[in-house]
Amino acid sequence: MSDSDASLRERAAKVVPGGMYGHLNAAIFGPGYPQFFLRGEGCRQWDADGREYVDLMCGWGPIILGHRHPAVERAVAAQQAAGDCLNGPGPVMVELAELMVDTIPSADWVMFSKNGTDATTQALMVARAATGRAKVLMAHGAYHGADPWCTPSPAGTTPNERADLIEFAYNDLASAEAAAAQAEGDVAAIIVTPFKHDSFEDQELADPEFARGVRALADRIGAALVIDDVRAGFRLDLRGSWEPFGVRPDLTAWSKALANGYAIAAVTGTDALRGPAQTLYSTGSFWFSAVPMAAAKATIETLRDIDGVSLMRRAGDRLRAGLDAQAASHGFTVRQTGPVQIPWLSFEADETLEKAMAWSAACLEEGVYLHPWHNWFLSAAHTDADVDRALQGTDAAFAKLRARFGAG
Ligand code: PMP
């Protein structure tokens, strides 16, 4: 029997700054969130107190096939038995790079690393090496990682580390053009997420005209178009999230769902940037570990073979329709935004998030793990029955909310 969540928190407070930090710090989510988890299976997770949840966060994105997916675990076990961190990468690095180049039309080559931040940072390095320019255009409020150039908190960073960023407004091509003009010919890259998924805000799908517009802008000013597909990658389209718009980036940053929970990130790029990519010194002790590469290969193959995107879309449609009906029947006006596979729900006139936090706390009590101010993630393991189980919990949570706030 492991320690309770409360006693683990008490012990952590003595040996970890703040007891916990970063995006998994449950203290900043809202009331009622467990901090520590024991295990996951499919689309369920169990916290340190042994409580079971239908998991609508999927480890904040990485879990795309379900926790401990058999095909991935088999590939991991086989590679683990052979070795993980060797004096050079395993053959699996070449196999994975070939698979990604075959799957992603904008990819002619792949560089691997560990985290999404590694990939976004490396993509900008390639763009700067290629152009000899400094400035990067990024959308206001977008999250691209936790290094000093992009962490949302200025603590521990200097203004210099962000001096080369110029912001534009998402889905506003005129503002991107204005940002480019401000840079006076010194733009190395435009970095953009496939849709607007900023925390605390309703999500916003990309306007295809905006996507095509930033592509044309990058071409016109000779900058690289970088898509940060770290969060959305492989959930919207295996080929890349803007492929349905016919918009191909010069560089793409991948991580999260790439290996169903194993630690790996990648930058893919076009032939034109192969030479500049080759000039970088960009590396890490664990970047070439073979186990996560084996996991990534199995993840992409499985997503392709089972049409994982359609499965996630089906689960997402069912969840969205169910939540809409429940909110209406309990008398709440809610907004559901973003792609159905990466959903979010907010309450009208809830600027302080009072309702969102009370509802998500009630969902936890009912065995459903979702989030009051960050988008959720679905996986290919969410069956109709799992979605219905989640909806049972969310319905009870709406009823509790109504008892507390009245309808509205
Ligand atoms: N870009 C985006 C769009 C992300 O959502 C994230 C992680 N939330 C990152 C970059 C950074 O990834 P990581 O946390 O793995 O460094």
Side-chain angles (χ1 to χ4, degrees):
M1 182 68 192
S2 83
D3 250 357
S4 68
D5 192 75
S7 90
L8 286 166
R9 283 183 195 229
E10 213 176 293
R11 286 165 56 195
K14 297 187 186 122
V15 291
V16 177
M20 181 59 192
Y21 54 91
H23 73 297
L24 296 184
N25 179 3
I28 62 172
F29 298 171
Y33 278 84
Q35 180 63 78
F36 294 96
F37 283 82
L38 297 178
R39 67 188 184 94
E41 192 75 41
C43 66
R44 307 292 167 113
Q45 280 197 54
W46 287 261
D47 72 16
D49 295 331
R51 292 177 51 91
E52 178 181 336
Y53 303 92
V54 183
D55 179 13
L56 299 185
M57 285 303 282
C58 292
W60 290 59
I63 305 301
I64 191 167
L65 289 169
H67 298 275
R68 300 187 44 72
H69 187 275
V72 178
E73 295 310 310
R74 264 195 309 276
V76 162
Q79 186 61 56
Q80 195 82 67
D84 183 20
C85 198
L86 305 169
N87 289 346
V92 69
M93 174 172 163
V94 183
E95 294 160 13
L96 174 59
E98 286 169 348
L99 177 62
M100 291 180 74
V101 165
D102 284 348
T103 306
I104 302 161
S106 64
D108 294 317
W109 52 263
V110 193
M111 289 174 87
F112 295 105
S113 55
K114 277 289 110 173
N115 271 91
T117 309
D118 297 334
T120 53
T121 302
Q122 193 178 52
L124 298 189
M125 287 172 75
V126 174
R128 285 175 170 138
T131 59
R133 301 177 187 168
K135 303 287 184 211
V136 170
L137 312 187
M138 68 170 270
H140 177 73
Y143 187 79
H144 294 299
D147 269 0
W149 75 266
C150 53
T151 175
S153 163
T157 71
T158 68
N160 274 352
E161 286 165 317
R162 291 153 193 272
D164 288 324
L165 297 177
I166 303 178
E167 293 189 340
F168 60 87
Y170 198 91
N171 267 342
D172 181 346
L173 188 56
S175 82
E177 307 255 0
Q182 198 186 322
E184 295 175 340
D186 196 25
V187 183
I190 305 174
I191 186 168
V192 66
T193 56
F195 67 98
K196 186 168 182 276
H197 47 47
D198 306 349
S199 296
F200 300 102
E201 285 179 24
D202 287 341
Q203 306 194 87
E204 207 178 305
L205 297 178
D207 176 351
E209 285 312 306
F210 170 74
R212 288 190 267 272
V214 289
R215 174 67 276 178
L217 172 62
D219 288 340
R220 199 171 71 239
I221 63 177
L225 177 64
V226 180
I227 294 191
D228 179 353
D229 228 338
V230 169
R231 192 175 311 185
F234 302 112
R235 276 192 167 80
L236 306 193
D237 193 308
L238 279 194
R239 302 167 303 165
S241 294
W242 275 5
E243 192 62 28
F245 299 156
V247 174
R248 292 200 178 147
D250 301 298
L251 296 160
T252 306
W254 309 89
S255 186
K256 284 201 185 281
L258 176 53
N260 201 45
Y262 288 87
I264 188 165
V267 172
T268 53
T270 58
D271 258 332
L273 293 171
R274 189 190 295 268
Q278 217 168 305
T279 65
L280 301 191
Y281 187 76
S282 182
T283 190
S285 297
F286 301 105
W287 284 15
F288 307 101
S289 303
V291 166
M293 291 181 179
K297 186 169 164 254
T299 300
I300 296 173
E301 284 168 350
T302 306
L303 283 168
R304 183 194 62 201
D305 294 349
I306 65 172
D307 192 2
V309 172
S310 295
L311 293 174
M312 288 182 276
R313 207 175 281 137
R314 177 188 169 99
D317 281 333
R318 193 173 182 90
L319 181 69
R320 186 159 292 186
L323 288 173
D324 259 341
Q326 291 176 355
S329 83
H330 290 282
F332 289 104
T333 307
V334 299
R335 288 184 299 267
Q336 297 198 69
T337 54
V340 294
Q341 309 91 305
I342 308 179
W344 194 54
L345 178 150
S346 64
F347 290 83
E348 192 164 83
D350 188 37
E351 281 69 30
T352 61
L353 295 177
E354 197 184 3
K355 281 185 192 142
M357 288 198 181
W359 182 68
S360 55
C363 286
L364 289 173
E365 288 167 6
E366 299 295 331
V368 183
Y369 193 104
L370 44 71
H371 205 283
W373 50 257
H374 188 283
N375 64 249
W376 319 333
F377 297 89
L378 295 181
S379 75
H382 286 85
T383 64
D384 288 356
D386 294 313
V387 172
D388 292 348
R389 168 65 192 88
L391 286 168
Q392 216 181 313
T394 55
D395 195 43
F398 276 123
K400 285 184 181 172
L401 198 68
R402 182 168 181 158
R404 177 161 159 197
F405 290 96

